[in-house]
Structures are given as C-alpha cells and as structure tokens.
Amino acid sequence: MDKNSKIYIAGHRGMVGSAIMRNLQNKGFSNIVGRIREELDLLNELAVARFFDKEQPEYVVLAAAKVGGIVANNTMRAQFIYENLMIQNHVIHQSYLHGIKKLLFLGSSCIYPRLARQPIKEEYLLTGELEPTNEPYAIAKIAGIKMCEAYHAQYGCNFISVMPTNLYGPNDNYDLEKSHVLPALIRKMLLGKYLMENDFENLRKDFQKHPIEGVNATYSDEILLNVLEKYGISRQGQEVSITLWGTGSPLREFLHVDDMADAAVHLFFHYDAPDTVPSHVNIGCGEDIRIKDLAEMIKKIVGYEGKIIWDTSKPDGTPRKLLDVSKLSALGWKPQICLEDGIRQVVNSYVFS
C-alpha cells in the first residue's frame, strides 16, 4: 500500500474514523479524503455514486454509522436499522463498482448473541438471539459483514470487517441521552463533582461545551438543578447523588480508540478477505470489568465524592460481552493503553479542552 494512495474514510469526524485518520497520518499517509454530512449524505445513493466518480479513491474505510447508547438504540430503532443499512449499502456497493482495492468495514461487538459463550469467538455469530435493546443496530452491522463476504465470494472484492469492543477516547459522544456507558459516567461524575462544590461556573461551561437540547447555559441555578435531576444528578441538602441504570453487575470490555485504530490499520495492511466464513476479526483487549467497578474507578479518577444509586428497575443489557481476540493476536497485534491510564487521559482532555 503506497503512502500516496488515496484513502476515503467515511465518518472521518467521528471517534473511530478520526482515530484511524490520525493513525494513518502518523504513518505517513497524506492523501486521505473525508466528507462531512453536509458535503456528502451517505443516505443518498446518487450522491455517493457521484462522490466515487469524482474522487476515485483506491481504498475505503467505512467508519460512518448512526451510533448511540442503550437509550438511543432502544428508542430510535427504525432510524438505527434504516440509516446504518443505507450507509453500508451505498458505500460498499460503490466500492465494488469503482474497483476499490480494499475496504475495511467497522462493525460492533453487539452483533453477537446476548447469551453467547464467553469469551466470544468470531464463529459465534448468528448462533443465538440478539440483545433486544440494540437488535436493529446489530442486525444492520451483521448485514454489513455478510455484504462484505458476499461481494468477496461473488466478485472477489477484498472487503474485510472488524468488530471492535466498547470504545472510548477523543471525539467521544458525551450526550447524556445518547452516549455510551463510559463517556456518560465520566460526564455525570464531573457534573456531580461540580454540584458538590457548588461550582455553577464549571456546570455552565460544561453545558456550553456539550449542549443539551432545550437547555441554555445562562439559565438560573434553580433551572440547572432541575436539568441535572432529570439526568439522575441530584442534591438533597449537602448530599449529592448520581443515579445509574441497572444493577451495575454486567461485565464489559473497553478499549481506547487509539488502540482500536492501530489494530484496524494493522489489519488493513496485513489481513486480506479469506474465502472462509466468518471472515471478520474481533478487536479488543481480552479483559473486562464490572460496570459497578468501572463507575467506582471513574469516581476516583474524577474526584466525585457523592453517592452512586443504582436504579434496578432499568435494564442492564447483555450480562457479559468479552471478545476472544486470539485471531487478532495471531495476526501480530496487542493493545498498549490500560483502562485506568486511558480514562485519566480522557478525563484530562474533557476537563481542559
């Protein structure tokens, strides 16, 4: 792969796409093409076809997707399946029509059965029922894997898929309604800390950096307290508490997005589409942590000293989701950033950016 090769990264502004772009740039690749949504609507088949006609990329990284946490997945089910299917269909098909040398499709570990044996091997795909709360998103991602395999089988396309575990890092989404568990915990703990310290200046700065729809950072202290309470961050007298969904008992694996990007680029260079299925490769660190323990770790790093309340009336999601990464390890890649160090980096970046 020549360092002057033109590489199109779909979703280059997102957490995953931007991390892959940084990794490629650090390796000396400079001919990288990206388009924001206002410039190229990936839901529009004609617009995607015209983009490929004009730009003629040689390689494609498909990191664009509609993503979100358990609440977003469970409440916007139609949008999640429709938009992800359309994005994949258009980019993968145009990559075939334009003779792309290699395509890398980014999936998600939610493709696996809810009660899959642990750790989860690639061959466990389609062996059981999916987690109901994110089934539409998972089905779309499974379709993407199968589409890559089908285009390889019928047309010989070198289209590969990778399945990352739960990711965190730069350019993450901190929306209190749509974010994943780790960034949501970081933001809630910081807001709880500010509330404990009666630091409404930093509360307002947080709302300015990460706006909440319908909330103005210039609102009175009383209104901001009501907003915080809506998201489970409350103060009774001098006591502050943060309410989190579920029991805290599920186990999850987390990987820094820069590690994920390094693994994805490693596979882009060293792994070609095989004739056998499953063809996809898991990307993870091979270790998991209980959500309750993750919350305590973030609480300590952030410096929040209030209470944590677990709302057991809310769903936990999948009990455990640990990827088997032996296939990735055999291909010569290992993670470099441990979870605690990675969270410290993210918290510092969030606070001081």
Side-chain angles (χ1 to χ4, degrees):
M1 188 173 176
D2 189 276
K3 291 191 176 179
N4 291 317
S5 298
K6 181 177 278 193
I7 305 168
Y8 168 47
I9 300 180
H12 74 292
R13 288 280 187 90
M15 181 172 67
V16 172
S18 62
I20 291 175
M21 177 177 278
R22 286 195 305 274
N23 190 282
L24 286 167
Q25 288 172 334
N26 289 338
K27 288 180 167 64
F29 291 86
S30 57
N31 195 6
I32 300 173
V33 179
R35 292 288 185 275
I36 61 173
R37 185 173 300 175
E38 290 74 16
E39 296 171 325
L40 174 59
D41 181 4
L42 296 178
L43 300 178
N44 184 324
E45 183 179 10
L46 182 58
V48 177
R50 286 173 174 167
F51 167 79
F52 273 80
D53 285 342
K54 179 182 177 182
E55 293 296 334
Q56 294 293 317
E58 298 171 73
Y59 298 88
V60 171
V61 175
L62 179 43
K66 183 171 185 62
V67 298
I70 188 171
V71 176
N73 270 277
N74 204 27
T75 56
M76 296 187 286
R77 299 173 72 84
Q79 286 175 264
F80 270 76
I81 193 165
Y82 172 77
E83 292 188 23
N84 283 298
L85 284 172
M86 291 302 100
I87 290 167
Q88 295 162 195
N89 289 348
H90 298 156
V91 174
I92 292 172
H93 189 62
Q94 291 301 322
S95 293
Y96 152 65
L97 292 178
H98 288 80
I100 296 301
K101 295 176 181 177
K102 195 168 195 176
L103 176 143
L104 174 71
F105 171 69
L106 274 295
S108 165
S109 58
C110 71
I111 62 168
Y112 292 112
R114 181 176 186 272
L115 300 176
R117 285 180 294 164
Q118 305 291 319
I120 305 171
K121 298 178 182 292
E122 285 88 353
E123 54 263 35
Y124 295 171
L125 181 65
L126 297 177
T127 60
E129 293 184 2
L130 298 167
E131 162 59 35
T133 55
N134 58 19
E135 183 184 70
Y137 179 72
I139 288 174
K141 289 298 179 181
I142 292 169
I145 298 169
K146 291 301 176 184
M147 195 170 180
C148 289
E149 290 176 351
Y151 275 65
H152 173 70
Q154 184 170 350
Y155 304 121
C157 299
N158 193 6
F159 294 173
I160 64 172
S161 303
V162 296
M163 298 301 116
T165 189
N166 299 290
L167 303 173
Y168 69 98
N171 295 325
D172 209 341
N173 177 15
Y174 290 93
D175 187 297
L176 290 173
E177 292 184 350
K178 301 174 184 176
S179 62
H180 290 101
V181 61
L182 195 150
L185 285 173
I186 288 174
R187 188 177 185 192
K188 285 190 173 186
M189 297 290 180
L190 280 166
L191 291 173
K193 178 186 178 184
Y194 298 149
L195 187 57
M196 287 193 70
E197 296 169 350
N198 211 36
D199 187 353
F200 280 87
E201 181 182 352
N202 271 319
L203 281 172
R204 287 187 167 85
K205 285 181 180 178
D206 184 275
F207 288 144
Q208 287 172 342
K209 283 196 299 184
H210 303 281
I212 296 172
E213 188 174 351
V215 177
N216 192 314
T218 62
Y219 283 164
S220 68
D221 292 359
E222 184 178 352
I223 293 177
L224 293 183
L225 286 172
N226 291 334
V227 172
L228 291 172
E229 189 158 356
K230 175 187 174 183
Y231 294 103
I233 306 160
S234 61
R235 183 171 68 185
Q236 300 294 329
Q238 296 302 309
E239 188 174 84
V240 172
S241 64
I242 294 175
T243 300
L244 304 176
W245 276 35
T247 63
S249 62
L251 290 154
R252 290 291 182 271
E253 176 185 20
F254 295 95
L255 186 71
H256 195 285
V257 71
D258 286 342
D259 264 347
M260 188 288 307
D262 194 62
V265 171
H266 178 83
L267 292 170
F268 210 31
F269 293 160
H270 302 291
Y271 180 71
D272 291 323
D275 294 330
T276 56
V277 296
S279 64
H280 64 280
V281 181
N282 289 338
I283 295 181
C285 62
E287 297 179 2
D288 55 10
I289 183 173
R290 202 169 300 278
I291 294 298
K292 187 170 286 189
D293 295 331
L294 175 69
E296 291 296 332
M297 179 187 290
I298 294 173
K299 178 182 178 181
K300 179 181 177 182
I301 291 170
V302 166
Y304 168 66
E305 297 179 353
K307 291 175 61 178
I308 295 176
I309 298 170
W310 295 93
D311 182 357
T312 56
S313 69
K314 296 295 193 295
D316 272 332
T318 305
R320 191 183 190 197
K321 196 161 60 174
L322 175 66
L323 296 183
D324 183 305
V325 292
S326 55
K327 188 174 179 180
L328 176 62
S329 297
L331 290 163
W333 187 87
K334 298 283 186 186
Q336 300 297 316
I337 305 170
C338 77
L339 181 59
E340 188 167 351
D341 288 346
I343 292 174
R344 288 187 189 279
Q345 291 175 21
V346 170
V347 170
N348 286 335
S349 176
Y350 183 98
V351 171
F352 298 111
S353 64

